[in-house]
Amino acid sequence: MLVGCTGGTVGASGSGGIDIGGVQGTPGAAGLRDPYFPKLGNGGYDVSHYALDLRYDPKRGRLDATAMITARATQNLSAFNLDLAGLTVDSASVDDAPAAVNRAGNELTLRPRVDIDKGEEFRTKVTYSGVPETITDPDGSREGWLRTADGALALGQPTGSMAWFPGNHHPSDKAAYDITLTVPVGTQGVANGVRTSERTANGRTTTVWHVAEPMASYLATVGIGKYTTKLSATPSGLPVLTAADPTVAARSEQLLNRIPELLAWQEKNFGPYPFSAAGAVVERTGDAGYALETQTRPVFPMDAFTPEILAHELAHQWFGNSVTPETWQDIWLSEGFAVYAEWLYAEDFEDVPARTSFEAAFESDANWAFPPAEPPSAENLFDPPIYQRGAMVIHKIRERVGDETFSEILAGWPATHRHANASTADFTAYVEDVAGEDLDDVWDVWLYGDGKPAQPD
């Protein structure tokens, strides 16, 4: 048995010495060399589906879980890694055969009984348990598994998802999900996607959530608590499920009811909504230190639940969730568009021109600490230049190409890279292709330039 972050190699049954046989393949890389998180993610395979079966006891804070991971080998594999922080690995198998397991920090290395050929699909089962960790990010924010007064909240940006399930936790490896949550009666489990079933037996309620479209692991979420829930729909028939902590349910109700309206407005700007479900989770102030764009069902602490922030997180469903950053260096693309959605909200609902929001952002010295496409370190990935100066880049594109072409870019960019990953280079090339001209002056000054220009222009 492997506990926490201790090392060593054991058989999945708990005994040492599985006979591996002749080795033809090589181990997959233990990291994808992301510019800011080089050890995050793993090489040698591509995940297509996670089936997570999670049983949680809020009183003890204990999680008992099984992850079934379906993947395809991208090389001949003798071994491969999964990212997992803390927790006890009780057993592991590959294609129903016990696998040898080694644990070193957050790296879980599995060596199957026989090598996996390049192009072969394989299924890995990991059974694990324990009290999930809360992870402190380089910028000091808290993520991972957050215990709340009546349950728990799982948030994953940028690395916290590995606190509650093993996987390939880099945004470049997106997959479909089925998440099964079993919690005590009187407590509800909420996750991403469409709720496909719910049953109660032996004092526990089990719900199953299906995410058909590809999802980066940092966008997976679980909320466990005594929620007030509501199911509605957009004008086009998209199901909208919301959940609010009972202590904030009345205060959040009016804004939650606006989600169908806001999604319809965003579809006019950004094109068809890219997923099969929508909604939100609203928690007490303090349960999380920030709102997060968790796929199909963004999460908000009550003190961050405002119309502008709701517009921001819903816009992420197109920018960040459907079109996901290739690496963490590209995060400005997600946040710049989401902040620009706030500026569009102010323009359309509050009669505040986007140019006014641009000028206010321009005047803040905090937005000029570094270029949005080149944050200096991991602790700067969520600093003001990523958000506000990122939105300034978007607005300068609008001013340069005109509203008609800009509208084409707003809807065309998420359509072109729907359910995929994209980089800053992909974006600049796309914009110039649509505009029919180079925009080097925009990129050189606003996206990559050091320091604040003399005038906003």
Side-chain angles (χ1 to χ4, degrees):
M1 186 176 290
L2 299 174
V3 182
C5 295
T6 58
T9 303
V10 299
S13 63
S15 61
I18 292 177
D19 181 13
I20 303 303
V23 175
Q24 302 297 320
T26 55
L32 293 181
R33 299 186 179 180
D34 184 274
Y36 299 94
F37 301 97
K39 295 183 179 179
L40 194 65
N42 304 284
Y45 64 95
D46 177 55
V47 178
S48 60
H49 184 261
Y50 291 92
L52 306 177
D53 189 343
L54 311 174
R55 299 167 298 285
Y56 187 64
D57 182 347
K59 290 184 178 179
R60 295 190 298 156
R62 179 180 172 85
L63 180 69
D64 291 277
T66 300
M68 183 71 77
I69 305 166
T70 303
R72 188 172 301 278
T74 57
Q75 67 178 66
N76 294 327
L77 282 174
S78 61
F80 61 93
N81 282 29
L82 299 170
D83 302 314
L84 182 66
L87 298 171
T88 299
V89 176
D90 300 312
S91 65
S93 62
V94 176
D95 291 334
D96 298 323
V101 181
N102 176 268
R103 184 69 174 273
N106 295 334
E107 294 291 340
L108 187 68
T109 303
L110 279 71
R111 187 176 295 277
R113 187 180 294 274
V114 295
D115 286 3
I116 302 168
D117 293 335
K118 181 179 179 180
E120 181 181 350
E121 185 177 84
F122 62 99
R123 287 171 31 112
T124 302
K125 182 179 180 181
V126 180
T127 302
Y128 57 103
S129 59
V131 176
E133 294 182 355
T134 297
I135 293 174
T136 300
D137 293 336
D139 66 359
S141 59
R142 297 167 67 248
E143 57 165 331
W145 194 268
L146 309 176
R147 292 189 70 175
T148 63
D150 57 354
L153 180 64
L155 300 177
Q157 190 183 51
T159 68
S161 49
M162 64 179 173
W164 55 284
F165 68 96
N168 199 8
H169 290 291
H170 188 269
S172 61
D173 193 1
K174 301 167 72 169
Y177 283 70
D178 284 284
I179 302 174
T180 301
L181 299 175
T182 300
V183 296
V185 168
T187 303
Q188 293 173 283
V190 177
N192 313 83
V194 177
R195 183 173 57 192
T196 60
S197 69
E198 181 173 9
R199 65 183 184 277
T200 297
N202 302 318
R204 289 186 165 268
T205 298
T206 298
T207 53
V208 180
W209 303 83
H210 178 60
V211 182
E213 302 86 2
M215 179 168 71
S217 63
Y218 80 88
L219 298 169
T221 191
V222 165
I224 297 169
K226 301 180 185 297
Y227 294 115
T228 299
T229 61
K230 180 178 180 179
L231 183 63
S232 62
T234 66
S236 63
L238 179 78
V240 178
L241 189 146
T242 61
D245 185 283
T247 64
V248 301
R251 283 181 287 156
S252 62
E253 182 180 14
Q254 184 176 4
L255 187 51
L256 285 172
N257 289 341
R258 290 191 64 194
I259 290 177
E261 168 204 353
L262 291 177
L263 287 175
W265 166 71
Q266 290 186 331
E267 283 192 302
K268 292 179 181 177
N269 286 286
F270 310 143
Y273 182 76
F275 301 114
S276 304
V281 177
V282 183
E283 295 280 2
R284 311 171 197 224
T285 295
D287 282 352
Y290 47 86
L292 190 63
E293 62 268 25
T294 43
Q295 190 158 306
T296 71
R297 198 151 288 115
V299 172
F300 305 83
M302 187 63 209
D303 60 336
F305 193 50
T306 67
E308 292 78 11
I309 296 177
L310 178 58
H312 177 116
E313 304 303 346
L314 292 177
H316 269 307
Q317 306 309 308
W318 286 263
F319 306 104
N321 296 11
S322 179
V323 185
T324 303
E326 184 69 31
T327 74
W328 284 108
Q329 186 168 357
D330 304 303
I331 188 63
W332 81 270
L333 265 175
S334 302
E335 300 302 345
F337 269 109
V339 171
Y340 203 75
E342 296 182 52
W343 295 3
L344 290 175
Y345 179 90
E347 191 167 70
D348 289 354
F349 291 90
E350 299 172 353
D351 296 322
V352 178
R355 175 70 188 192
T356 301
S357 299
F358 168 86
E359 290 174 350
F362 181 88
E363 291 304 320
S364 174
D365 290 341
N367 295 330
W368 299 97
F370 57 83
E374 295 179 336
S377 70
E379 70 178 281
N380 303 113
L381 287 179
F382 304 102
D383 282 1
I386 300 295
Y387 292 75
Q388 298 294 322
R389 190 169 164 189
M392 281 189 269
V393 173
I394 304 303
H395 190 72
K396 293 308 292 186
I397 295 169
R398 178 181 179 179
E399 292 188 333
R400 175 64 178 274
V401 305
D403 280 359
E404 183 177 347
T405 300
F406 182 69
S407 294
E408 183 180 348
I409 291 169
L410 267 185
W413 170 248
T416 299
H417 295 277
R418 184 179 173 93
H419 299 151
N421 295 85
S423 67
T424 298
D426 294 327
F427 178 69
T428 57
Y430 173 82
V431 170
E432 291 185 343
D433 182 61
V434 174
E437 59 178 317
D438 73 65
L439 277 71
D440 287 347
D441 55 332
V442 174
W443 315 137
D444 291 347
V445 174
W446 301 93
L447 185 56
Y448 291 105
D450 290 320
K452 183 179 179 180
Q455 298 292 333
D457 297 331

